[in-house]
Amino acid sequence: MSEKNLEDLDSVGKATAEKLREAGYTNIMEVATASPQELASIVEVGVQVAAKIIASAKESADIGNFVTGVDIFEKRKELERITLGVKSLNDLLGGGIQTEAITEFYGEFGSGKTQISHQLCVNVQLKKDEGGLNGDAIFIDTENTFRPERIIQMAEGLGMNPQDTLKRIHYARAYNSSHQMLLIEKAKEIAKEYPVKLLVVDSLTAYFRAEYIGRGTLADRQQQLNKHMHELLRFSDVFRASIVCTNQVSAKPDSLFGGEINKPIGGNIVSHTATYIVYLRKGKNDRRIAKLMDSPDLPEDETVYMITQEGLKDVS
Ligand code: ADP
Ligand code: MG
């Protein structure tokens, strides 16, 4: 198979190829499968030119062969799940957080995104017959809300050794969105050394939201977020790991981004790349509500759970 370069595509010069690569389109197949609108905004060309680039990529791409549903079925049997330790949430998500996929939790401040992130860093370490993957976790923290104390409480709640549990969580604080993206490279190195089965980015979007202010830079932001999401997806593929990311929404319309109430930021880019999208909110009397908003294989559904000292729990 002779791999062509992006520069070989119609209407793609050096500068455009560079923009494509920066946005995470590193090969012809990725361009061939992009949407004209997405590509147009990323390389700052008209939609018609973008369509031409995509058409050219489709011609050049090694489209590959069809396989049967049986092959895919067999391959999907290899996917694993991390238990949430709560029956209602596991049921909502088809058994837990799936590997080789991105699961996005979004919700307002205080809705439980960080608590779920912590719980999964503990649960991934459980043995397979306990619902875990006997794996390590990576936690990329952008809001300085990682709390070892919470990990200790949750580990104790499951009868695990707290110190051993903390040792299997590889933590990094990200200082801005570029740093956040660079940390994925570093995460790959850790995943070569340790059996990493979960990568958490909490919050995925906070820096992107803060740094790209004003409509003029919206395309830049989407481009960088797109790149970030694709790198996360690649990580999940290569290491057969689960990716969990959080996304804060505000109860007020976000005028800076022309956002709507309770719409996660990053909009299409994030929601097209995430496989499972879960909306979290507070309910009455300590109850928490999780709603599965989008999934390729599960029904839209809603369930309740609780956050306790020992971690997530079913409502008794
Ligand atoms: P966010 O969605 O902003 O990340 P968090 O995941 O930080 O929200 O959730 C914060 C909420 O978690 C708090 O409002 C509190 O109700 C709950 N919480 C935090 N720690 C504990 C604890 N030790 N016991 C019970 N609930 C807790
Ligand atoms: Mg949080």
Side-chain angles (χ1 to χ4, degrees), residues 286-300:
D286 282 355
R287 289 179 183 212
R288 307 271 168 172
I289 299 157
K291 182 171 185 185
L292 186 63
M293 304 298 286
D294 195 19
S295 146
D297 51 3
L298 296 167
E300 213 181 275

Side-chain angles (χ1 to χ4, degrees), residues 19 23 28 65 96 115 135 156 163 165-166 169 174 187 196 244 258 311:
K19 275 190 191 163
I28 290 189
N65 290 319
Q115 298 301 313
E156 283 171 347
Q163 290 304 317
T165 308
L166 284 171
I169 301 172
V196 172
V244 165

